[in-house]
Amino acid sequence: MRTRRWIFSAVMRLLLRCLRIGQRHRSWPTQKVRQLWLYGRLCLRSLLYNSFTDSDTALDALFEPVYWLVDHITRWFGVVFVALVIILTGSVVCIVYFCLLPLILRTYPLPWVFWHVIYGHWNLVMIVFHYYMAITTQPGCPPQQPKSDIAAVSICRKCIAPKPARTHHCSICNRCVLKMDHHCPWLNNCVGHFNHRYFFSFCLFMTMGCIYSSVSGWDMFWEAYAAIEQTYGQTPPPNFTFSQRAFHKSVVYAWVLCSSVALALGALMIWHAVLITRGETSIERHINRKEKKRLQKKGKVFRNPYSYGPLGNWKVFLGVERKRHWVTRVLLPSTHPPKGSGLSWDTSPCVSEQKTDLLAI
Ligand SMILES: [Zn+2]
Ligand SMILES: [Zn+2]
């Protein structure tokens, strides 16, 4: 009886052991795979982890190929646009010199001849000078190493370098630009601290030149237009020579081009004039609008920390320190540098509370 019980318990122990071994071997592959999965996930997360990662960064990463394409196309088209500005402006200047000026000298009274020759040449010199300076002057980049005169610094995520106040990264130029306004394809250059004045002056003088040409060429345009209409609508057509037909078409082309540019560039120039009066750049306009709404919710009033009042803003922008500078630095070509290094900015004392928030943007 005792022997039978011992055999029974030994068999049961053996069965239990076999069962445990079976269970252990059955779970082995699952555990191993699970361990590998957890380890891989940890490795991946440790490689990709970034405390700055948010939905904006994820969207940026998703649209990175689109941005890359747009940036490269804009960079390439910049050269085409600059060539286009030079060719179109050159064509109008040629038409004025070869077609209109001889006519003005022959038929206009002397005071009008003086006016057209002096004003036209002054305006042309201002356009050429400011365009040349705007495309050849670098807008200014922050130093790669931190410097003591940088007022407030954040880090550019693209350059991994210190970013002074009012500095923004241009993805087309692939660099940070001091007091960046925008990247202009018509200049194939960024508009920033050191060439902002040249850009605006070019817009202003080009608009003035186009308005001047459109207004003073109004009668000539209608005469030329009527002559072209006669050529195509009258039977038999009037007997115009080749040079007369070329003259009529040139006058109509120059007038249509000048009046179109006057409208388009004039609107852009007025918008930039409003921004300069407010002491803002195009980028800061968006930032300041958001900041205004944020402070409004808290019952506070937003004040632009870089605004010195409308007249003060214009004086700072144009570099006018004395009365005679309105003539020597605004109405005549001048290469004087802008006020300050672009690395630090004087701010109005009434806005110190919101200054820190804005500098970090
Ligand atoms: Zn940058
Ligand atoms: Zn740029």
Side-chain angles (χ1 to χ4, degrees), residues 170-175 177 180 182-184 189-191:
C170 174
S171 56
I172 298 163
C173 300
N174 201 22
R175 62 183 174 176
V177 174
M180 182 180 169
H182 68 287
H183 182 94
C184 181
N189 197 5
C190 250
V191 176

Side-chain angles (χ1 to χ4, degrees), residues 88-106 108 113 115-121 123-124 127 209-210 212-214 216-217 220 246-247 249-255 257-258:
L88 293 178
T89 312
S91 67
V92 172
V93 171
C94 285
I95 289 168
V96 170
Y97 270 108
F98 293 113
C99 300
L100 304 181
L101 198 60
L103 190 74
I104 289 170
L105 290 172
R106 268 201 320 270
Y108 279 38
V113 171
W115 159 252
H116 284 303
V117 169
I118 291 168
Y119 178 82
H121 281 95
N123 206 331
L124 180 63
I127 290 169
C210 288
Y212 160 73
S213 306
S214 304
S216 56
M220 268 189 212
F247 174 83
K249 283 175 185 171
S250 302
V251 168
V252 171
Y253 158 78
W255 192 88
L257 185 64
C258 285

Side-chain angles (χ1 to χ4, degrees), residues 57-91:
T57 317
L59 268 176
D60 277 358
L62 209 65
F63 281 96
E64 197 61 41
V66 181
Y67 295 147
W68 183 89
L69 199 69
V70 172
D71 290 349
H72 276 72
I73 289 171
T74 313
R75 207 175 297 161
W76 187 84
F77 264 97
V79 182
V80 180
F81 281 1
V82 169
L84 209 63
V85 171
I86 294 168
I87 291 167
L88 293 178
T89 312
S91 67

Side-chain angles (χ1 to χ4, degrees), residues 226-241 244-245:
I228 292 172
E229 267 199 331
Q230 276 178 16
T231 312
Y232 292 106
Q234 196 172 299
T235 42
N239 198 18
F240 288 128
T241 60
Q244 279 175 322
R245 287 201 301 274

